[in-house]
Amino acid sequence: AESFLAGLARLEPGLVVMPPQLALQALISGDLDFASPFSSSTRAAISGMPVRNVMVVMTATDHVLVVKPEIQRVEDLKGKILGVSSIKSTPDLETRLVLERHSLKPDVDAKIVALGGGSGLRLAALQGGSVDGVMLSMPQNKMAVQMGYRELVFMKDLVNIPFIGLAVNAQRIKNDPDYIVRVIKATLKAIRFTKENKE
């Protein structure tokens, strides 16, 4: 038991909330051991950055297309403005997929604008009336519902894509593979514990 607890102490994480691009910069510079934005780290790896995904934690996003209350169906988005974090981000790709699945052409039938930032900023843009709908994640989507907005499309019902994972600097894989394996094992144990102890 003592060795188990000692192992946990060595892996006790320090969690830092930051935008995906900043997290990747810190990962590349060595200021972070791991980062979780899967799509951003995948794009970074493809573009040649020394970043590698070593684990997928979520196989579907928790994003929800939240719209003004008068919008009842996806087809009602014709002529509307939808806000995303940035072009080619996960919320942008999801928004385009929703439109295309309902025979609407992105940027033609519905305008998509990059707002920057995360769900909080997109919710503020919806509240401010500069957009008619945005992709939000928890807890902002539920906050929006309490304000009277409508959850129109749950992305997990539409498509499964890797969303959250563990990305690591490629050099760390070479220098300390055992550490990475221990973190993956600890993450798997935490996921199992959460599922078995939902209360």
Side-chain angles (χ1 to χ4, degrees):
E2 285 181 14
S3 61
F4 175 74
L5 292 174
L8 285 180
R10 285 194 306 272
L11 289 174
E12 186 173 332
L15 302 176
V16 181
V17 178
M18 60 179 66
Q21 292 308 317
L22 184 58
L24 285 175
Q25 290 170 7
L27 191 66
I28 291 167
S29 69
D31 292 328
L32 282 181
D33 291 334
F34 296 89
S36 63
F38 190 87
S39 59
S40 298
S41 57
T42 299
R43 285 194 302 273
I46 290 170
S47 69
M49 295 281 105
V51 173
R52 301 294 179 267
N53 288 316
V54 294
M55 180 180 188
V56 174
V57 177
M58 290 176 62
T59 57
T61 77
D62 63 346
H63 290 162
V64 181
L65 181 59
V66 179
V67 296
K68 291 180 176 178
E70 62 268 20
I71 297 171
Q72 302 288 319
R73 308 171 305 134
V74 174
E75 291 78 8
D76 296 337
L77 294 173
K78 190 167 186 175
K80 304 294 190 219
I81 301 173
L82 303 173
V84 299
S85 52
S86 61
I87 302 304
K88 296 189 179 177
S89 64
T90 300
D92 176 51
L93 298 174
E94 291 170 334
T95 301
R96 292 172 188 278
L97 178 63
V98 168
L99 293 172
E100 289 167 357
R101 289 274 176 99
H102 291 83
S103 302
L104 295 174
K105 292 181 182 177
D107 300 315
V108 175
D109 293 322
K111 184 177 180 181
I112 297 174
V113 296
L115 301 170
S119 278
L121 184 61
R122 294 194 296 276
L123 176 56
L126 183 63
Q127 284 181 275
S130 58
V131 295
D132 300 294
V134 290
M135 275 297 168
L136 297 178
S137 57
M138 286 289 289
Q140 283 82 11
N141 61 308
K142 296 305 178 190
M143 292 165 60
V145 169
Q146 290 176 344
M147 296 174 194
Y149 296 99
R150 178 187 304 279
E151 291 178 315
L152 191 64
V153 178
F154 292 83
M155 289 309 300
K156 66 182 176 58
D157 296 336
L158 196 60
V159 64
N160 287 335
I161 56 170
F163 179 55
I164 298 293
L166 288 179
V168 65
N169 188 302
Q171 193 60 43
R172 184 174 280 277
I173 295 173
K174 293 177 184 175
N175 295 344
D176 200 355
D178 290 341
Y179 173 62
I180 294 167
V181 169
R182 291 199 324 269
V183 170
I184 291 171
K185 285 181 178 179
T187 304
L188 289 171
K189 285 180 181 177
I191 291 169
R192 188 178 310 117
F193 179 85
T194 302
K195 287 183 175 181
E196 292 172 356
N197 298 276
K198 291 185 179 181
E199 70 283 354

